[in-house]
């Protein structure tokens, strides 16, 4: 049977038709070989548009379909499904893009139309070579892994666990809670962070469906959607979690003091420590680099005082393997170290703090017991809060960190509240971005509390006569300002975690320009990634405040659950195939395959693909010296014909081919 | 003569990075010269040198191959394979009278829409400088 091709050119309103003469392109396509019907239509992705394809498949006996509209990354599946509904194998359809790669980026209408014609012709050429392909269904393992146990990871884990699915929650730190555990109050409600996060942390510990793996890291991931094998490194804690009661005697007796990262280096912790009294789990961990018993073999006090004998200096790390259907990444963010911006004096002047340090100054279990105090033990009489430190700055991070305006306002309020209303607070800002529910109202409230707002990024912080002076310009007044203050708080940028690149590599996700993990689509796919079965939650995808992180996490959980609950997933059939008649048995492909999906059949002396493991990357096909290895749907003949079409190798005579059906265009609202 | 020459460029781009970047360039309306036409591949690792030569012999004046940044490949290391292969391909192109500048390999990540538009426009200008493919008329296919 010969090919009967239907071509559909979408106007996409004026998105395509504004630059491409769609009617002309459809007419041209109508004159191409094997094309029996060619139409242009306002919106191909609409129901009437899809119905048009389905009806034509029946009426004209179409066995190939070409849709020219937006990017196949957006709507290829839509039209594949439409073909399927019309009784046509979805792989006998070719979707080509005349919007993102043509109408939207071409200045001239004539040129855009000519380019669209070529693109359509290439697809018509190519689709003639398409073959029926069938997706395979594979089972999805019911368990889910969540990586990172900040507020996003916690939320995702709880959502999944409460549906009845088992969750392995991996956290690299000794306890869960992430950055939120360091905060005191949250904007704009001034809820106490611990009051709202501790119940969730405890719920995680008590949830029987959650397997909590703290002090652990994912070191290897293999497999594919629905069937991931994850190797988790359980670092040596030196404290037996099953025996320890969390009494804390060891912490009191340990003689070694180390600057605490959790306290942002404002206080000391012991060599055996936990982040805070509310830590979940409350089992301490021994910092092997500083423990005198482990480094020098002298001390051993914690072991002596431990009432349950939980201390084990000889503990070793171990690897555990988990089989999960999907993964939710919630690895969070780091705050920028402002030392590099030496003009602000962080690290040089002791009363210059980062935002996270200031959070600790406010925290009831922090180094000052929740009082805002300077190093000399006195409360500051005046504080400068510098916004956008490292954010919205071409030299550091171009993006806005989204949370700083609001936490700066929170600090304004807290200073007025805790130090007293006589305390002067100066905000140096570029723009105020109070975009959330109740945020603008909070801004107004803080303004009414008598806080000073100065528009303009300060030039530097200097020290004169023992006082800090912020030097800058008030760009609204057009005047230079010099503001003497006791304390400076730097609203530091949120940036990708230091190890984001390693995590990205292990899980096979991409990073965007900023280094945050790249979502599948910035608008419509903000939780999924290009790797099926790996989802994102929270600030590992980009700066987020708590409500955004929590809702993003619930979104990630829902996606993972959708997979787990359905129990099976369709795998693309566009894998490799090695023609045994052509294969010369050179084995080149075997060494090239990154997934070990090719084996050698000793009896027939040919290479054989294991389709369950093949992901269709084409490493074998591109190198096969005999042409035996081919990627289905990207076969040599298909690519060759596409190239011919793009280059106009078989273009019919004349500027626009005519055929009986080519005038069968339909206008909006009256499909033929 | 050169001012009238409008080169035809074929670009083999990987689905995961550069094709996505091309989408983004489109969504962001970053105008490009119309001379480039994309061939979507799943990975630069599946771009057979045959495709490049075929394109050059069939009317393309330049061929762009673009994929994920090193270390970012969706298929672990397909882009490294492409890099080696293009290197080898460039060694043999001059033997056929084809300037090696007609084939270019670049990395454009999925979020780099502006980079994609710039790459395309620059490459078109480079090929415009090199001029039409003379070797094609002498080749016996």
């Amino acid at each position: 049977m010969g090919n009967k091709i239907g071509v559909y050119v979408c106007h996409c309103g004026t998105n395509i038709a504004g630059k491409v003469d769609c009617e002309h392109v459809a007419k041209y396509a109508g004159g191409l070989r094997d094309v029996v019907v060619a139409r242009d239509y306002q919106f191909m992705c609409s129901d009437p548009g899809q119905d048009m394809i389905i009806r034509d498949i029946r009426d004209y006996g179409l066995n190939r379909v070409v849709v020219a509209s937006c990017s196949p990354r957006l709507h290829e599946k839509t039209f594949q499904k439409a073909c399927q509904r019309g009784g046509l194998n979805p792989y006998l359809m070719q979707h080509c893009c005349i919007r993102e790669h043509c109408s939207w980026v071409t200045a001239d209408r004539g040129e855009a139309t000519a380019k669209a014609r070529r693109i359509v012709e290439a697809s018509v050429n190519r689709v003639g070579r398409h073959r029926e392909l069938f997706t395979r269904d594979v089972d999805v393992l019911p368990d889910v892994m969540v990586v990172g146990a900040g507020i996003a990871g916690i939320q995702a884990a709880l959502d999944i666990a409460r549906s009845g699915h088992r969750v392995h929650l991996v956290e690299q730190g000794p306890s869960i809670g992430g950055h939120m555990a360091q905060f005191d109050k949250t904007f704009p409600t001034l809820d106490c962070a611990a009051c709202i996060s501790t119940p969730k942390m405890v719920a995680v510990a008590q949830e029987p469906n959650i397997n909590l793996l703290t002090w652990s890291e994912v070191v290897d991931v293999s497999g594919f959607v629905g069937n991931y094998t994850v190797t988790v490194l359980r670092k040596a804690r030196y404290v037996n979690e099953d025996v320890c009661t969390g009494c804390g005697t060891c912490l009191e007796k340990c003689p070694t003091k180390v600057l605490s990262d959790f306290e942002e280096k404002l206080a000391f912790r012991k060599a055996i420590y936990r982040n805070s009294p509310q830590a979940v789990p409350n089992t301490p961990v021994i910092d092997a680099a500083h423990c005198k018993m482990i480094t020098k073999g002298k001390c051993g006090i914690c072991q002596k005082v431990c009432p349950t004998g939980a201390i084990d200096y000889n503990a070793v790390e171990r690897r555990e393997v988990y089989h999960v259907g999907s993964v939710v990444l919630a690895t969070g963010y780091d705050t920028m170290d402002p030392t590099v911006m030496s003009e602000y004096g962080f690290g040089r002047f002791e009363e210059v703090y980062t935002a996270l340090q200031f959070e600790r100054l406010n925290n009831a279990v922090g180094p000052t017991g929740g009082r805002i105090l300077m190093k000399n033990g006195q409360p500051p009489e005046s504080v400068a809060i510098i916004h956008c430190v490292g954010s919205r700055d071409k030299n550091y991070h171009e993006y806005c960190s989204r949370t700083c305006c609001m936490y700066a306002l929170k600090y304004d309020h807290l200073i007025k509240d805790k130090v007293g209303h006589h305390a002067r607070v100066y905000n140096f800002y570029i723009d105020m971005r109070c975009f959330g529910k109740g945020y603008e109202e909070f801004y107004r409230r803080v303004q009414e509390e008598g806080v000073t707002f100065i528009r303009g990024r300060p030039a530097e912080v200097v020290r004169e006569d023992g006082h800090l002076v912020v030097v800058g310009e008030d760009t609204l007044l057009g005047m230079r300002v010099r503001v003497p203050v006791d304390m400076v708080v730097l609203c530091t940028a949120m940036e990708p975690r230091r190890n984001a690149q390693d995590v990205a590599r292990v899980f096979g996700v991409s990073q965007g320009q900023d280094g945050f993990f790249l979502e599948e689509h910035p608008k419509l796919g903000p939780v999924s990634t290009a790797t099926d079965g790996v989802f994102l939650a929270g600030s590992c995808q980009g700066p987020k405040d708590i409500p955004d992180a929590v809702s993003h996490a619930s979104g990630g959980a829902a996606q993972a659950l959708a997979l787990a609950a359905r129990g099976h997933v369709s795998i693309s059939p566009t894998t490799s195939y090695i023609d045994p008649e052509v294969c010369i048995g050179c084995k080149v492909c075997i060494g090239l395959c990154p997934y070990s999906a090719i084996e050698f059949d000793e009896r027939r002396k040919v290479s054989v693909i294991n389709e369950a493991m093949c992901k269709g990357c084409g490493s074998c096909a591109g190198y096969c010296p005999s042409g035996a290895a081919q990627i289905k749907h990207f076969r040599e003949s298909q690519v060759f014909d596409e190239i011919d079409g793009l280059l106009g190798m078989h273009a019919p005579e004349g500027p626009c081919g005519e055929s009986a059906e080519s005038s069968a265009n339909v206008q909006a609202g009256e499909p033929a | 003569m050169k001012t009238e020459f409008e080169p035809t460029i074929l670009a083999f781009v990987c689905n995961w990075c550069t094709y996505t970047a091309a989408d983004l360039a489109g969504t962001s309306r970053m105008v490009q010269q119309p001379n480039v036409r994309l061939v979507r591949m799943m990975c630069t690792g599946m771009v057979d040198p045959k495709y490049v030569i075929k394109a050059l012999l069939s009317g393309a004046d330049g061929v762009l191959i673009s994929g994920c940044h090193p270390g970012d490949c969706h298929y672990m290391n397909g882009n490294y394979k492409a890099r080696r292969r293009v290197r080898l391909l460039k060694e043999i192109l001059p033997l056929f009278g084809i300037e090696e500048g007609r084939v270019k390999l670049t990395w454009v990540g999925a979020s780099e829409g502006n980079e994609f538009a710039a790459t395309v426009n620059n490459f078109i200008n480079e090929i415009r400088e090199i001029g039409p493919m003379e070797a094609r008329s002498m080749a016996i296919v």
Side-chain angles (χ1 to χ4, degrees):
Chain A
M1 188 176 65
N3 286 335
K4 288 182 172 180
I5 305 175
V7 180
Y8 302 86
V9 182
C10 181
H11 290 219
C12 195
T14 56
N15 282 310
I16 295 170
K19 273 284 159 57
V20 172
D21 183 344
C22 297
E23 210 174 316
H24 169 84
V25 173
K27 261 189 188 173
Y28 177 82
L32 297 173
R33 200 178 52 163
D34 293 338
V35 175
V36 295
V37 57
R39 302 178 191 276
D40 59 296
Y41 185 63
Q42 274 258 309
F43 291 105
M44 279 312 299
C45 58
S46 67
D47 278 350
Q50 295 185 45
D51 288 345
M52 187 191 295
I53 299 175
I54 294 170
R55 211 167 35 244
D56 282 353
I57 290 173
R58 286 176 194 151
D59 293 354
Y60 291 90
L62 299 183
N63 56 14
R64 297 285 191 285
V65 167
V66 169
V67 182
S69 58
C70 49
S71 169
R73 292 180 59 91
L74 214 60
H75 267 312
E76 186 175 42
K77 286 218 168 68
T78 311
F79 296 115
Q80 283 188 333
K81 280 181 190 150
C83 288
Q84 208 158 19
R85 285 203 301 279
L88 192 66
N89 184 286
Y91 289 89
L92 297 179
M93 194 274 304
Q94 174 72 2
H95 188 203
C96 61
C97 175
I98 56 169
R99 193 179 74 175
E100 281 85 343
H101 307 160
C102 187
S103 73
W104 274 350
V105 295
T106 311
D108 180 81
R109 185 172 167 85
E111 285 173 341
T113 304
K115 185 173 176 181
R117 229 166 46 189
R118 282 279 159 266
I119 292 172
V120 171
E121 183 172 345
S123 293
V124 169
N125 260 0
R126 184 191 215 277
V127 82
R129 297 281 192 175
H130 281 201
R131 299 181 182 186
E132 287 194 337
L133 295 174
F134 299 92
T135 53
R136 293 168 296 136
D137 267 6
V138 296
D139 291 338
V140 171
L141 296 170
D143 294 2
V144 178
M145 176 161 286
V146 177
V147 186
I151 188 61
I154 288 173
Q155 182 67 38
L158 285 174
D159 284 351
I160 295 164
R162 283 170 183 160
S163 77
H165 286 271
R166 189 154 175 76
V167 181
H168 306 288
L169 178 57
V170 184
E171 166 60 44
Q172 64 173 2
S175 58
I176 64 175
H179 283 302
M180 191 177 168
Q182 292 178 285
F183 304 161
D184 182 54
K185 297 280 189 291
T186 58
F187 59 78
T189 51
L190 301 170
D191 273 325
C192 134
C195 311
I196 53 178
S197 67
T198 315
K200 275 188 184 291
M201 284 153 64
V202 173
V204 166
Q206 292 175 346
E207 172 59 55
N209 272 337
I210 294 180
N211 173 28
L212 181 56
L213 307 164
T214 50
W215 207 235
S216 302
E217 278 169 31
V218 173
V219 287
D220 186 54
V221 177
S222 63
F224 52 94
V225 55
N227 296 271
Y228 286 111
T229 301
V230 186
T231 309
V232 177
L233 177 76
R234 309 289 314 270
K235 295 179 281 188
R237 195 176 196 113
Y238 305 103
V239 181
N240 187 336
E241 292 176 55
D242 302 328
V243 181
C244 172
T245 59
C247 69
T249 315
C250 52
L251 312 177
E252 287 165 25
K253 304 292 180 195
C254 174
T256 311
K257 282 185 172 180
V258 187
L259 272 177
S260 163
D261 285 330
F262 186 80
E263 298 292 352
E264 295 294 322
K265 302 213 165 24
L266 290 179
F268 289 94
R269 61 161 169 80
K270 301 297 179 65
I272 182 167
Y273 71 101
R274 62 183 171 214
N275 281 340
S276 78
Q278 303 110 308
V280 173
N282 64 4
T283 316
V285 58
I286 292 180
D287 174 356
H290 293 98
C291 171
K292 290 205 172 89
M293 189 64 195
I294 293 173
T295 52
K296 295 185 183 134
K298 290 176 202 157
C299 184
I301 291 176
C302 53
Q303 192 172 46
K304 280 176 211 137
V305 298
C306 179
T308 57
I311 310 288
D312 173 13
Y313 298 115
N314 299 317
V316 286
E317 62 180 34
R318 58 186 197 277
R319 278 156 201 266
E320 290 174 2
V321 174
Y322 294 94
H323 300 280
V324 296
S326 57
V327 177
V328 178
L329 288 180
T331 51
Y333 66 97
D334 276 333
T335 52
M336 187 182 141
D337 178 353
T339 317
V340 286
M341 303 180 78
S342 58
E343 65 270 28
Y344 291 149
F346 181 76
R348 282 191 291 136
F349 308 139
E350 60 176 8
E351 296 309 335
V352 178
Y353 294 83
T354 66
L356 265 188
Q357 287 183 325
F358 194 71
E359 292 284 354
R360 293 313 297 163
L361 284 188
N362 278 281
N363 195 296
V365 294
T368 56
R371 285 174 302 156
I372 301 172
L373 298 177
M374 300 187 293
K375 298 269 160 57
N376 63 10
Q378 295 300 311
E381 292 295 305
S382 52
V383 183
I385 297 177
I386 301 180
H387 293 226
C388 302
V389 175
S391 310
R392 305 184 67 198
D393 184 337
K394 273 198 165 170
N395 301 316
Y396 302 98
H397 302 300
E398 279 196 70
Y399 53 86
C400 165
S401 291
R402 259 175 89 93
T403 54
C404 324
C405 282
M406 289 310 295
Y407 70 63
L409 291 176
K410 176 181 76 179
Y411 295 167
D412 295 341
H413 172 82
L414 290 175
I415 294 165
K416 288 282 184 186
D417 189 43
K418 291 188 170 178
V419 179
H421 274 264
H422 64 283
R424 280 156 298 152
V425 188
Y426 303 94
N427 280 264
F428 291 85
Y429 70 103
I430 309 178
D431 290 302
M432 290 304 296
R433 297 184 166 179
C434 309
F435 56 90
K437 205 174 181 178
Y439 290 10
E440 185 67 24
E441 293 87 331
F442 188 66
Y443 179 25
R444 178 151 302 239
R445 173 180 170 183
V446 170
Q447 280 176 322
E448 284 166 2
E449 284 174 352
V451 170
T452 309
F453 288 85
I454 300 170
R455 203 187 82 172
R457 195 200 295 270
E460 58 178 340
V461 175
V462 294
R463 188 132 120 172
E464 288 174 8
D465 306 330
H467 270 289
L468 294 176
V469 179
V470 182
V471 182
E473 184 192 352
D474 185 328
T475 57
L476 291 178
L477 294 176
M479 280 168 56
R480 285 166 67 180
V481 289
R482 298 171 58 83
V483 182
V485 289
D486 292 337
M487 181 187 270
V488 173
V489 181
L490 304 178
C491 297
T492 41
M494 284 167 85
E495 55 184 26
R497 272 204 97 88
R498 270 173 279 276
N499 61 355
Q501 204 170 3
D502 304 329
V503 177
R505 198 168 300 136
V506 167
F507 288 95
V509 300
S510 313
Q511 289 172 282
Q513 241 162 343
D514 306 326
F516 291 106
F517 297 147
L518 197 65
E519 64 284 341
E520 191 181 21
H521 189 276
K523 295 264 178 285
L524 299 178
V527 294
S528 40
T529 67
T531 304
D532 289 336
V534 177
F535 306 104
L536 304 177
S539 293
C540 62
Q541 184 249 349
K544 282 184 188 56
D545 59 10
I546 295 167
D548 284 359
V550 169
S551 29
H552 197 238
S554 284
Q559 300 258 1
L561 273 180
L563 264 182
R566 185 151 20 98
H568 61 87
V569 64
S570 295
I571 299 279
S572 164
T574 58
T575 55
S576 176
Y577 167 76
I578 296 177
D579 188 343
E581 301 279 305
V582 180
C583 178
I584 54 169
C586 70
K587 300 187 190 175
V588 160
C589 52
I590 293 174
L592 287 167
C593 180
Y595 303 104
S596 312
I598 312 178
E599 281 159 14
F600 195 68
D601 182 339
E602 285 294 346
R603 193 177 57 84
R604 292 186 295 165
K605 302 286 181 212
V606 292
S607 293
V608 182
I609 298 281
N610 176 350
E611 285 191 18
M613 291 163 81
C614 174
K615 297 198 180 183
C617 70
S619 291
C620 52
Y623 274 87
C624 177
S626 56
Q630 295 278 309
I631 299 296
K632 294 173 189 169
H633 214 53
F634 287 89
R635 306 176 77 88
E636 197 175 287
S637 56
Q638 292 165 342
V639 177
F640 270 22
D641 278 14
E642 186 175 354
I643 294 172
D644 279 345
L646 286 173
L647 298 172
M649 284 293 275
H650 305 307
E653 293 296 310
C656 180
E658 288 290 335
S659 84
E661 297 295 342
S662 65
S663 54
N665 285 320
V666 260
Q667 298 306 314
E670 43 169 21
Chain B
M1 179 65 198
K2 269 192 178 175
T3 49
E4 287 168 21
F5 165 60
E6 276 303 322
T8 305
I9 313 276
L10 231 55
F12 294 96
V13 296
C14 96
N15 179 57
W16 305 102
C17 285
T18 308
Y19 197 84
T20 314
D23 279 0
L24 185 61
T27 316
S28 321
R29 313 293 201 278
M30 287 167 173
V31 173
Q32 296 147 42
Q33 299 178 56
N35 314 44
V36 74
R37 289 150 205 174
L38 302 190
V39 184
R40 178 161 77 127
M41 308 300 276
M42 294 314 281
C43 179
T44 47
M46 68 161 65
V47 180
D48 193 316
K50 273 186 295 221
Y51 301 163
V52 180
I53 292 167
K54 156 86 180 168
L56 289 171
L57 292 180
S58 303
D61 300 295
V63 173
L64 180 71
I65 302 160
S66 184
C68 308
H69 286 281
D72 254 1
C73 179
H74 187 76
Y75 302 103
M76 292 158 83
N77 52 23
N79 51 359
Y80 289 128
K81 290 168 187 150
R83 185 162 68 185
R84 283 177 229 141
R85 187 176 309 167
V86 169
R87 173 82 197 277
L88 289 171
L89 181 61
K90 284 188 163 213
E91 302 248 317
I92 62 162
L93 285 179
L95 301 179
F96 296 95
I98 301 173
E99 298 86 346
E100 64 156 303
R102 293 192 187 277
V103 177
K104 185 171 186 169
L105 175 71
T106 59
W107 315 126
V108 178
S111 61
E112 301 173 339
N114 47 355
E115 179 70 27
F116 176 79
T119 302
V120 162
N121 285 331
N122 291 340
F123 187 57
I124 292 172
N125 291 339
E126 283 167 34
I127 297 298
R128 198 169 269 140
E129 282 295 310
I130 297 175
M133 257 276 285
E134 307 287 356
R136 186 158 51 236
S137 53
M138 295 181 288
I140 301 160
V141 189

